[in-house]
Amino acid sequence: MHSLQQALRAAFHNREALLAELHAQGTDCYRLFHGSQEGMPGLTADRYGPLLLVQSFHQPLERGVLLALHEQLCSSLGESLMLVYNDRSQGNSRIDRDDPVYRADSAALDDQVGREWGVSYRVRARHSGQDPLLFLDLRNARGWVKANSAGRSVLNLFAYTCGVGLCAAAGGAREVCNLDFAESNLAVGRENGALNPELAPMQFIQSDYFPAIRQLAGLPIPQRRGRALPDYPHLAPKQFDLILLDPPAWSKSAFGTVDLMRDYQSLLKPALLATAENGVLVCCNNLAKVSLEVWREQVLRCATKAGRPVRDCQVLAPAADFPSTDGRTPLKVLMLQL
């Protein structure tokens, strides 16, 4: 317990300047403890507005340790946050229902609102995913999009709950389109839009990535011999000034396979072709096993082969609440000026 107290104290000290900056920017969603890099592998503590979400991935936290962690972080912040604890160390054992501390108060499990870059988001502490509907390590990318969207058309691919699209709208984009396969994700995106009524309305397209992006890029959709493809929305070819491509590590459908380890190129090529001349493609890779250097070389080579050579390539690192002792963070973001 003493070592955890020290680790939490050091982590908060290392974040004090960042937290002051975030609070001034209108952000109350951030990581307070990144255990894999701060002395307690398998343990994370995140603030989402009024919530403190603690998650353990290697072994459960004892009741007393959990309560002490909650008290220490709230005291450091000077805020009284509602505690939600998800234990993910034993498959789907995320909730121990024998103790009210592990169950969490009903108020903490209600839908809440968090803020980032002055924009409001729906947050939900316990659902089928690992995050409360907003991936914190992508905050810098969302901020970059907000700062660089004015007057642009923006396409948010693998949009999840449409945080990037919302930042584009907040940044003055003339058009924002969010594309995701899951209607449940887009439903939260619509909630996010409703939480920010001052922003221009966004568009939502529910579709598998491959047929949608290939149509936008003006490419044919391959037919599989002897197998009819599922229905999909029919889209006209169109290019966007700014595109964000943030795929999952792996998924498979009747239209193709998303595989960041073996075949990022099949995702990247149509996105390049759907990016307008002088536009920007922001591409992400969250697979820890892939090094930034190797992936960047793959991306640049693919762009050249696709006839869309990159004029400038910049790396955008996660903020300091996701520290890395060796500089090799799982999430890698490249901004490609075409």
Side-chain angles (χ1 to χ4, degrees):
M1 179 59 188
H2 183 62
S3 61
L4 177 56
Q5 287 178 334
Q6 291 179 322
L8 292 171
R9 190 177 301 116
F12 190 84
H13 174 75
N14 292 337
R15 285 165 172 74
E16 283 189 288
L18 173 65
L19 295 183
E21 181 182 338
L22 293 176
H23 293 161
Q25 292 169 351
T27 295
D28 61 11
C29 297
Y30 40 74
R31 175 150 292 183
L32 286 163
F33 187 66
H34 192 55
S36 64
Q37 301 292 312
E38 296 185 292
M40 292 287 165
L43 179 63
T44 61
D46 298 318
R47 180 184 182 179
Y48 285 89
L51 301 174
L52 177 67
L53 174 65
V54 179
Q55 301 197 93
S56 54
F57 296 86
H58 293 175
Q59 59 187 21
L61 282 183
E62 295 179 359
R63 186 182 196 277
V65 175
L66 175 63
L67 293 176
L69 179 153
H70 179 219
E71 181 180 3
Q72 182 176 347
L73 289 179
C74 287
S75 175
S76 296
L77 278 171
E79 302 252 8
S80 180
L81 303 179
M82 294 181 287
L83 173 65
V84 177
Y85 170 56
N86 292 340
D87 171 35
R88 301 177 183 275
S89 63
Q90 302 174 48
N92 291 321
S93 62
R94 70 182 68 213
I95 309 168
D96 181 338
R97 299 186 181 277
D98 294 333
D99 190 311
V101 170
Y102 297 130
R103 287 201 301 268
D105 292 337
S106 58
L109 298 179
D110 290 340
D111 284 359
Q112 304 290 343
V113 176
R115 290 180 59 78
E116 183 188 86
W117 300 108
V119 177
S120 296
Y121 293 88
R122 170 68 63 224
V123 293
R124 191 171 297 146
R126 193 172 281 162
H127 65 108
S128 59
Q130 291 186 5
D131 70 298
L133 307 176
L134 185 70
F135 285 108
L136 298 179
D137 56 352
L138 199 65
R139 183 176 63 246
N140 277 359
R142 287 188 290 267
W144 188 92
V145 168
K146 183 172 184 282
N148 291 275
S149 292
R152 285 176 154 175
S153 58
V154 178
L155 175 62
N156 182 21
L157 298 168
F158 298 99
Y160 188 41
T161 56
C162 309
V164 168
L166 204 64
C167 275
R174 61 180 171 83
E175 178 186 7
V176 178
C177 183
N178 298 289
L179 188 145
D180 198 272
F181 178 74
E183 173 55 35
S184 58
N185 290 341
L186 296 178
V188 177
R190 292 185 179 92
E191 286 189 56
N192 285 335
L195 289 172
N196 299 272
E198 72 282 4
L199 302 183
M202 301 183 291
Q203 300 173 44
F204 304 89
I205 299 176
Q206 182 189 1
S207 175
D208 185 281
Y209 173 76
F210 290 105
I213 195 63
R214 291 187 71 85
Q215 289 180 93
L216 292 171
L219 298 172
I221 300 172
Q223 299 290 318
R224 298 195 174 190
R225 184 179 302 175
R227 295 175 61 184
L229 291 173
D231 290 338
Y232 55 88
H234 292 275
L235 307 173
K238 183 175 182 177
Q239 290 187 318
F240 292 80
D241 302 317
L242 194 161
I243 294 180
L244 186 125
L245 173 63
D246 183 20
W250 191 91
S251 68
K252 188 174 182 178
S253 75
F255 297 97
T257 300
V258 174
D259 188 342
L260 301 197
M261 173 66 78
R262 298 174 182 84
D263 190 16
Y264 197 93
Q265 294 89 327
S266 66
L267 306 173
L268 183 63
K269 179 182 175 181
L272 287 162
L273 297 177
T275 306
E277 192 69 29
N278 298 316
V280 177
L281 173 59
V282 181
C283 49
C284 308
N285 189 320
N286 57 25
L287 201 62
K289 296 178 181 178
V290 175
S291 74
L292 172 62
E293 296 77 14
V294 170
W295 177 58
R296 177 168 48 192
E297 179 59 30
Q298 290 174 344
V299 166
L300 296 178
R301 187 167 58 248
C302 179
T304 299
K305 289 179 65 176
R308 302 303 310 274
V310 174
R311 294 192 291 140
D312 186 50
C313 176
Q314 300 291 328
V315 177
L316 184 63
D321 52 335
F322 285 82
S324 173
T325 54
D326 60 5
R328 296 181 177 274
T329 57
L331 175 64
K332 296 160 284 290
V333 180
L334 296 176
M335 298 175 294
L336 310 178
Q337 178 72 53
L338 303 183

